[in-house]
Amino acid sequence: MNMSNPDFHGSLHAAPAGRGAAVEFDHISKDYGDLTVLHETSLRIEPGELFALIGPSGSGKSTLLGMLAGFVPPSYGAIRVDGTDIVAVPPYRRNIGMVFQNYALFPHMSVAENIGFPLKMRGCSRGEIAERVKRALAMVRLDSMGERRPAQLSGGQQQRVALARAAVYDPRLLLMDEPLGALDKNLREEMQEEIKRLQRALGATVIYVTHDQQEAAFLADRLAVMRAGMLEQIGTPRQLYEMPGTHFVASFLGEASLLPVEELLARDGREVRVRTPGGLVIRALAPSRVSERRAVCLRPENIVLGPAARERDNHFLGVVEEAVFTTGSLRYRVRLPGSDSVLTVRVPSHPGIELLAPGSSVDVGWDAAMAVTIADD
Amino acid sequence: MRANASEPLWRIVGLGLTGFAVLVLIYLVAPTLAIVPLSLSPDPFLRFPPPGVSLRWYEAFAHSIDYQLAILNSLKIGIPAAALATACGVMAALAVVRGAVPFRRTLAALLIAPLILPQIVLAIGLFPLMAKVGLVGTYPGIVLAHAVVTMPLVFITVSAALRTYTPSFELAAMTLGANPWRTFVHVTFPMIRAGIVVGFIFALTFSFDELILAMFLTSPTTRTVPRLLWEQLNYQMTPIIAAATVVLLGATIALLCLAAFAATRSRHLSGGAKGVQP
């Protein structure tokens, strides 16, 4: 990631870590007539946490955020911020900061007026507004831009103004709805750094909605994968990537190869031996949380090709079906013997390595600890 | 079409089209403009072509007490009617475009109905009602009637203005601590101001030119310019009518130019400011 912006000018106020709000969704749900957009959901977000909600569009993540902001009244349940139910509190009294995907900067106001707007609504004096706007502009490194109109700024600058505006009144909870969705890739990575730094400086709890799994994994302390109005899995980015509970989570976060499981042969603590429909016997990890295990999930970088594969817990002789160079790695599709299971394998690329030819046989192997059984859905 | 412009056949077709468009324009505008030479006639009767050129009827118009009173009445009726229509039209547009109201399509159609229905229907319906409450011939009576027929104009222009930007601006204002009223004052109003101004001018223009409701609901003391013109046409066919009409036409065109100017200026101000990408 891009680390080229070290000149962060510190927080608006001496913001101690741990001043963020605790958020609790308590058996919350939302339906429009017969259409349920959010099934009964309970979720607790810790003070100061950067929590990401990810999932495809229509999965309910924006509904959850809208409920917290006060735009979408829940059909059932309670939403508590620091223990107080806020469902009946109108949006303008919730004191929650929000950054929108299209930034929603008021086009008829200057940058400084935009940032000063929440302070004006709170009845701050002119002098105080000027002072705090100045500090907020410095914080997002736009010191000289106060007099400009939003339309005169670049996308990244507009985004920073939106951040400053949502943070200038020191909310203890910040909501971000795909805040980087409209930016190009390089700028997005730079802004991710900025958001992370800002969050640390403010100490606020941040709830971040995105459909970009890389962004979520980089930013979030914890994340929740949503699907069809339900929480599919919650955990740290590493937990979700390495121990996905379902096929959906496994393929939503990064690349995964799935081998179907026909029969459980043996279980020894967390390790199991399973048989695939093609007759392959595979050793893998089985986290106990989910009862129904229907497939083995493998990440492409955890599979070894060549002679070294023979020393692994699982070892087969496969056939290369496809071989391509991608930046930084060689990417193979390898068919396992006696089945139509094809594994995606990624091997670090360097000048001393030959690209295997399609059609050639190759040893494929991985340790039991690198394969995880998941619910196949 | 453009790619084929060099081909003679297409060139002829193109010229023909242009010629046709010019003819249509003349057909539409000429009858209206025929009033201009009529108004310059020195003759005491309306006839075409006028036998000479004179400004005597403009002079007569300028000195006519009847017309002075009628112009004053038109303003006394048009301005409050347009203001009332604007207040109601803005609220209706906000409710239909931004509000969570059911049947919004039906509602929008109903709101536009007074503009589409024949005014004679409204006039015949309103007359006995207004007579019952004693509003026939009074200023409030005709102001209310004109507000009803012009409200759709404001509703249409303001709805269009509201649809040019996403509601996230208002949602943002609310998360930042602005209650609904302050959200309207600081965010919604500045963003739809041009639509409101244009709607008001349309409403004023409409009231200024409206005849049928004025015939039913005004009295000789509250009669408007169009009603006076109509009455004079029935009794005396002097070119003072033509002179008055030209002045009315000029005022209408000036107001419409003002509306066009307001619309262009707002587009220029907020150009590219819809807040998406650089």
Side-chain angles (χ1 to χ4, degrees), chain A residues 349-371:
Chain A
S349 169
H350 56 84
I353 194 170
E354 285 283 333
L355 190 63
L356 297 166
S360 57
S361 294
V362 66
D363 287 297
V364 197
W366 65 90
D367 281 333
M370 291 177 168

Side-chain angles (χ1 to χ4, degrees), chain A residues 189 233 236 247 292 335:
Chain A
E189 289 177 358
Q233 197 176 353
T236 65
H247 182 175
E292 199 182 8
R335 181 178 295 278

Side-chain angles (χ1 to χ4, degrees), chain A residues 92 102-103 105 107-108 122 182, chain B residues 168-169 174 176 186 273 275 277:
Chain A
Y92 50 92
N102 67 356
Y103 319 139
L105 298 177
H108 54 282
R122 283 164 176 75
Chain B
S168 62
F169 291 98
M174 282 201 241
L176 295 170
H186 293 287
Q277 252 174 307

Side-chain angles (χ1 to χ4, degrees), chain A residues 71 91-93 117, chain B residues 169-180 183:
Chain A
F71 308 148
Y92 50 92
R93 289 214 195 93
F117 184 79
Chain B
F169 291 98
E170 278 112 10
L171 296 182
M174 282 201 241
T175 64
L176 295 170
N179 62 31
T183 298

Side-chain angles (χ1 to χ4, degrees), chain A residues 178-319:
Chain A
E178 308 234 4
L180 308 181
L183 302 178
D184 64 48
K185 192 169 174 295
N186 286 339
L187 202 53
R188 208 150 63 208
E189 289 177 358
E190 198 183 312
M191 287 302 300
Q192 286 170 11
E193 299 280 348
E194 187 119 4
I195 287 172
K196 209 162 184 168
R197 238 177 278 134
L198 189 71
Q199 191 249 350
R200 267 189 229 123
L202 295 171
T205 305
V206 174
I207 302 179
Y208 193 103
V209 164
T210 179
H211 60 256
D212 182 336
Q213 43 96 8
Q214 278 186 336
E215 191 172 296
F218 172 74
L219 281 171
D221 298 315
R222 278 196 309 155
L223 49 87
V225 179
M226 293 196 72
R227 178 198 189 188
M230 279 187 277
L231 288 175
E232 187 95 348
Q233 197 176 353
I234 304 170
T236 65
R238 200 176 157 197
Q239 279 168 351
L240 294 203
Y241 183 77
E242 292 176 355
M243 295 292 213
T246 63
H247 182 175
F248 181 80
V249 174
S251 45
F252 198 80
L253 282 131
E255 259 184 311
S257 301
L258 296 176
L259 301 174
V261 168
E262 193 175 70
E263 198 187 343
L264 177 70
L265 298 175
R267 179 185 266 275
D268 176 17
R270 292 180 74 202
E271 204 180 303
V272 288
R273 266 173 54 230
V274 295
R275 197 178 64 220
T276 71
L280 301 178
V281 175
I282 295 168
R283 289 168 61 195
L285 285 188
S288 55
R289 234 168 30 79
V290 184
S291 55
E292 199 182 8
R293 297 286 153 192
R294 302 274 298 282
V296 172
C297 167
L298 281 163
R299 294 299 184 184
E301 64 275 16
N302 290 338
I303 302 170
V304 179
L305 295 182
R310 291 179 200 144
E311 277 127 53
R312 303 291 160 160
D313 297 343
N314 298 287
H315 166 236
F316 304 100
L317 193 65
V319 177

